[in-house]
Amino acid sequence: MTTIQTRYFGAVPEEVGLSIEFPAGLPAFERERRFLAIEHPKTGPLILLQSMTTRDLCFLALPVAAVEPAYRLQMSPEDMKAIGVDESAMSSGDSLAVLAFVVVEPDGRISANLMAPIVVNRENRCAVQSVRWDGVYAHDHHLSLTASGLAGEETACS
Amino acid sequence: MLVIRRRAGESVLIGDEIEIEVLDVAGTQVKIGISAPRDVLILRREVRVTAEQNELASRSLPFASLVNLFEKMKHSPQAPETRGDKGR
């Protein structure tokens, strides 16, 4: 049993989450390759992406569909190859999990990076942060948490 | 910003060691070739923006903030369903 040191939960067995691998790391974190995707009853639809090598590195992510239900994924051929998928996997959608990193700003506003989603190939657990070139979605798509629910807001970029 | 017009096959020099050549122009897309020393970083702008967002996203939050945030999400009428509900 492998134990992972986590930012929020102390030492946990690896089995509490799903381990995923980023063959090329992530922009600004190129050496971070292995993450444990953890979901916790108290944090709902949020997925915590805990680095398996750096205890204090734990990203927050949401499924893109929770942020933008009509999200259309576009990946470069290089990114598809990096995780071992092809066009048919993209259109069927079942073999991929698509997440967006969430930023909580000091003023409490939260935003999701829809421009560079995390795409996970469920079959081999390989992942890539696939940076779009088409300018369709914002890197800081603001979310509002109001009485009427989780909603995306228009920003200057979108 | 210095603005220059170039056609396919023409190039621009930056300093002594960097050359940018327009290789091809097709519709709205330009193919650019960049020659630079290995230690010069060359990035699509969006990748730099993503790196900056990742730095922001990596800041630690107290667990209580996360719980608070997602209490709000769960209790809203259109809250996304959690993993257990649909088995996605």
Side-chain angles (χ1 to χ4, degrees), chain A residues 6-84:
Chain A
T6 68
R7 168 75 180 86
Y8 295 111
F9 309 113
V12 303
E14 186 178 332
E15 290 71 29
V16 304
L18 293 177
S19 64
I20 66 179
E21 177 163 353
F22 288 78
L26 296 140
F29 296 93
E30 286 79 8
R31 292 214 188 88
E32 294 283 349
R33 306 290 169 90
R34 295 182 67 220
F35 287 82
L36 197 61
I38 301 170
E39 295 175 80
H40 189 279
K42 283 207 166 102
T43 56
L46 232 203
I47 295 162
L48 303 175
L49 240 62
Q50 169 70 51
S51 162
M52 291 171 77
T53 47
T54 306
R55 189 196 64 149
D56 284 338
L57 181 63
C58 184
F59 292 106
L60 317 183
L62 282 170
V64 293
V67 179
E68 173 49 70
Y71 190 84
R72 296 182 61 118
L73 181 64
Q74 287 275 18
M75 294 176 78
S76 67
E78 293 79 15
D79 286 346
M80 289 196 279
K81 189 169 174 202
I83 62 173

Side-chain angles (χ1 to χ4, degrees), chain A residues 7-8 27 39 41 104 129, chain B residues 54 59-61 74 78 83:
Chain A
R7 168 75 180 86
Y8 295 111
E39 295 175 80
V104 180
Q129 183 164 30
Chain B
N54 286 351
R59 287 174 313 188
S60 291
L61 294 172
K74 281 205 285 194
Q78 283 154 2
R83 188 173 237 261

Side-chain angles (χ1 to χ4, degrees), chain A residues 27-29 101 103 112-116 129 131-132 137-141 157, chain B residues 43-57:
Chain A
F29 296 93
F101 278 169
V103 171
N113 185 348
L114 297 182
M115 183 188 80
Q129 183 164 30
V131 182
R132 297 175 75 114
Y137 296 105
H139 63 275
D140 60 352
H141 181 104
C157 309
Chain B
L43 285 179
R44 286 187 289 147
R45 187 171 196 283
E46 317 80 86
V47 175
R48 169 59 58 83
V49 170
T50 297
E52 288 166 359
Q53 284 301 111
N54 286 351
E55 292 278 7
L56 292 178

